[in-house]
Every structure is written in structure tokens, then in C-alpha cells.
Amino acid sequence: MPVEFLGIAATNDGSETTSRSGAAFDKEYTLRLARAHEDHGWDRVLFAYGSGSPDPAPAAAYVASRTERLRILLAHRPNVSYPTYAAKTFATLDQISEGRLTVHFITGGNNHEQRREGDTLTKDERYARTREYIRLVKKIWTSREPFDHEGEHYRFHDFVSDVFPAQQPRPDVSFGGSSPAAYATGGAEADIYCLWGEPLARTAEQIEAVQDAARAAGRTDVPRIQVAFRPIIAPTEELAWEKARRTVGAIRERREGGLVRHHRGGAPENTGSQRLLAIAEAGERYDRALWTPTAAATGGAGNSNALVGTPETVAQALLDYYDLGVDILSARGYDLLDDAIDFGRYVIPLVREEVAKRDAGRTARGTRNLVAVDG
């Protein structure tokens, strides 16, 4: 199966290890980073969402109008707009990008962060709202006749959009999470299901849970799987591990110095972060190259487990996940621009080459089996 690579479309050069050098929305840097991804073999970039961060939708439109091939994954929280409005925004952006949009719906795993924008629902209520929201967006994208809706969270009458996506019948929907409620929602509604990088055995368990949820929802297909990592690469193993230790030191220094705004106090509320911290507590290194101190240093924040080693080591580690059924590999370094270029130059070609060999081998075996049966 084909493999795709997802990078980050940051609007400034700040990260967990360094303060940003300019404004929150640095227009020149935003475009420079996106073009670095497009020029170095990446397939798409994520425009993330934060309560006080620049609005990702116009930033995505800006990049889409100035790139040719790069696809866009737009993060969106249902609490920030009505589904009728959001569906039109997404359709317009898909037209601007000429069919390069995927929408990533975020339920929200932290009450404090949600309340920053007036969202006071409980976690279970948020999941119910997200499911209703996604279904409405899909219907708006594909309905040419006006319709009414009387739901638990949304009500409207006689609505029909006058703008439709360039992609037909609609853009893909992306979703993520590591709780039973997340599996149920994403298994039912998502075209792509997103996971944070965990050890291979735990990732396999999560993939099975997503697939079980899809079948329980009556689907005849299952979502594609995306897994996210923070690669730390260098020309030699020794240099890579030195770089990894420096990276963790920089993360801790920024957090201890109060230079990072926290979304929560105490233990994380969301299951995904709880899982990352439990994995880190159980061990620092897993499988071929997975390293957990980066996750521990951030308090289990988001995509934070690293893959450490030479480009060859990290490529082989990514292929281990590909062999589990992961066909979208998300990667983001700590020096966003330089790491995107290095990963694109030195890791992506290795993975693509090995995937092509695997696919060719499967095709050859299938042909031999067919000949044997016919014979």
C-alpha cells in the first residue's frame, strides 16, 4: 500500500526547545516551512489548533494558494463554530487548494483548554457533539437540497450550502484519540484515524480497537491509520543520542523556566497523554528506536515520543509501523525547518524505497499464486 508523510505547518519558528523569534503568525516563515515540506518529499502538513493560536483556516488558505502539490490537514474544534459555517469554510478551502484538504476534528481532552473558548461540556458530552458535528458537515458537503436538523447539540432549518468541496463526494475526515469513546467516534466516522507514537505492541492493540469500533458501527471498511513521532536523527548513532539528550535538556529548561504556557496543572486528563506517561515510566527505550524521555519531559503533551538514530535506523523503525498497517507517518522535529528538510532528504526516500520493494514483492507473490491456481 502507498505510504504518506505528514509534517507540521507551524506559523512561527518556536518549539518545545526554542522561543519563537517573531510574531505568532510569521507569514514569511509559514510559507518557507510549507515550501520546505513540498520541496523535500512530504505529502501533507498539519495546521494545528490552539485556543490562543493563529486561526489555522486562513493560514492554510494562504499556504494552499502559494503551493502546488502539498496537501493540507486542517485541525478544527467543533466548539468554535456552528457546523453550517464550518462546512462552508472547509468547502471554500478545498476549492482554494484544488482538492488538497483533509479536516481533522478535535473533541478536546483538557477541560481548562476548552473553557478558554467558552466550552463547558463534559468530555462525554463533547464526544457526542463531535459525532453529531462530523455527520452534519459530511451531509452539508454532499446535500444539494435544503434540509432541517433537530439534534442534541445543533438545530437549524432549510439549510443548503452554495459552495461544495472540489473533492467528490467530499474531503476525508481525520480523527484521533486513545479512549474507548474516541475509538467509537472515530471508528464510526473517520476516514483516517490518528495515534501518537507508542511501542509497536501497544500500537497494534490500538489499531485493532479502531477496527473493532468501525465494524461495530456497521462499516464495511476501516479507517486508514496515522501514527505520529518526533524524530531525532544524526549521521551516526552516537551523535543522534547526544542530540536526543540535548533536546530533552532544552525541553526541561524551558518548562522549568516557565517559558512554556501550560494547558493544565497536575496529571493530564486525556487518555493519550496518560498512556504516554505510563509508557515513559515503564521504560526509556522500546523496539528499534522509540525513546520516551521527550514525552516525560513535556508531561505527556501531544505527539512527544521520539525516534532516535541515524536516518537508516529511523527509517527501519517507521517501516516496523508500516508493517502493522500504518500508512500515514507523521513526523515533526524540534528545529522545525531544518529538521523537515533533513527528514525529507535522508529518511523519506529510504522508507519509500523499502515500501516499493514490499509492494513489488506482494504483487509478485500474488501473481505466482494466481498462476499456481490457474495451472
Side-chain angles (χ1 to χ4, degrees):
M1 60 182 175
V3 65
E4 296 182 9
F5 288 90
L6 169 70
I8 190 69
T11 59
N12 60 72
D13 61 357
S15 76
E16 297 93 332
T17 60
T18 56
S19 299
R20 73 180 189 230
S21 62
F25 181 52
D26 181 334
K27 188 169 69 170
E28 288 72 24
Y29 182 84
T30 298
L31 183 56
R32 185 181 177 195
L33 180 61
R35 285 179 171 164
H37 283 85
E38 183 168 63
D39 292 342
H40 291 89
W42 298 79
D43 297 286
R44 66 181 81 196
V45 288
L46 167 66
F47 284 83
Y49 189 92
S51 59
S53 300
D55 188 340
Y62 168 68
V63 165
S65 66
R66 289 162 176 81
T67 54
E68 300 296 328
R69 179 190 58 83
L70 193 67
R71 282 177 274 165
I72 291 164
L73 178 60
L74 179 70
H76 179 77
R77 287 183 186 165
N79 62 291
V80 299
S81 66
Y82 219 68
T84 49
Y85 176 86
K88 294 185 296 180
T89 299
F90 303 148
T92 303
L93 181 52
D94 199 49
Q95 290 287 346
I96 292 171
S97 67
E98 298 180 324
R100 289 182 277 153
L101 177 69
T102 297
V103 182
H104 180 70
F105 290 93
I106 303 172
T107 296
N110 178 262
N111 290 333
H112 181 72
E113 169 68 2
Q114 294 300 120
R115 287 170 183 162
R116 283 173 170 165
E117 294 188 283
D119 186 7
T120 59
L121 297 185
T122 66
K123 189 174 181 180
D124 287 344
E125 289 170 336
R126 292 200 297 267
Y127 272 110
R129 177 183 62 192
T130 298
R131 197 161 181 172
E132 183 178 349
Y133 196 100
I134 293 173
R135 288 176 173 173
L136 284 171
V137 168
K138 288 179 180 177
K139 187 170 182 179
I140 292 165
W141 279 340
T142 56
S143 296
R144 265 55 179 179
E145 298 296 330
F147 68 95
D148 300 339
H149 178 76
E150 294 281 346
E152 180 181 359
H153 297 280
Y154 302 103
R155 297 180 179 181
F156 55 82
H157 302 94
D158 197 40
F159 181 81
V160 63
S161 179
D162 194 34
V163 56
F164 295 94
Q167 297 175 80
Q168 292 297 313
R170 60 172 178 79
D172 280 345
V173 164
S174 171
F175 189 82
S178 297
S179 67
Y183 299 146
T185 299
E189 301 297 337
D191 303 293
I192 299 168
Y193 199 96
C194 307
L195 302 170
W196 290 336
E198 295 188 3
L200 289 164
R202 289 175 176 259
T203 300
E205 291 169 358
Q206 291 208 78
I207 292 173
E208 183 177 4
V210 172
Q211 293 175 343
D212 286 346
R215 287 187 284 267
R219 291 179 60 167
T220 57
D221 64 341
V222 293
R224 299 173 64 194
I225 302 296
Q226 172 185 303
V227 178
F229 303 96
R230 305 301 294 272
I232 301 174
I233 62 172
T236 69
E237 294 292 330
E238 181 180 7
L239 290 173
W241 286 104
E242 289 178 3
K243 183 178 178 181
R245 288 187 285 271
R246 289 197 306 272
T247 297
V248 167
I251 293 170
R252 289 172 177 160
E253 183 178 353
R254 279 180 57 73
R255 285 177 64 87
E256 291 167 3
L259 300 175
V260 178
R261 188 182 186 195
H262 299 289
H263 293 316
R264 57 176 179 266
E269 298 170 12
N270 62 305
T271 303
S273 292
Q274 292 168 4
R275 289 174 65 101
L276 293 186
L277 290 178
I279 291 165
E281 186 176 351
E284 286 193 0
R285 294 181 66 171
Y286 291 86
D287 305 318
R288 194 185 300 268
L290 191 72
W291 197 54
T292 65
T294 46
T298 63
N303 165 28
S304 50
N305 269 339
L307 292 176
V308 181
T310 63
E312 292 77 12
T313 296
V314 171
Q316 288 300 320
L318 292 169
L319 286 162
D320 292 337
Y321 288 89
Y322 174 82
D323 290 338
L324 288 181
V326 177
D327 65 346
I328 302 176
L329 299 168
S330 173
R332 172 165 55 103
Y334 292 92
D335 182 333
L336 300 179
L337 181 61
D338 288 346
D339 287 347
I341 293 170
D342 285 347
F343 189 88
R345 282 177 174 167
Y346 302 119
V347 178
I348 289 177
L350 295 176
V351 176
R352 292 199 192 280
E353 181 180 358
E354 288 301 317
V355 166
K357 290 179 182 177
R358 282 164 165 76
D359 289 347
R362 278 192 289 267
T363 300
R365 287 192 297 273
T367 300
R368 286 197 299 269
N369 291 338
L370 181 61
V371 170
V373 171
D374 289 344

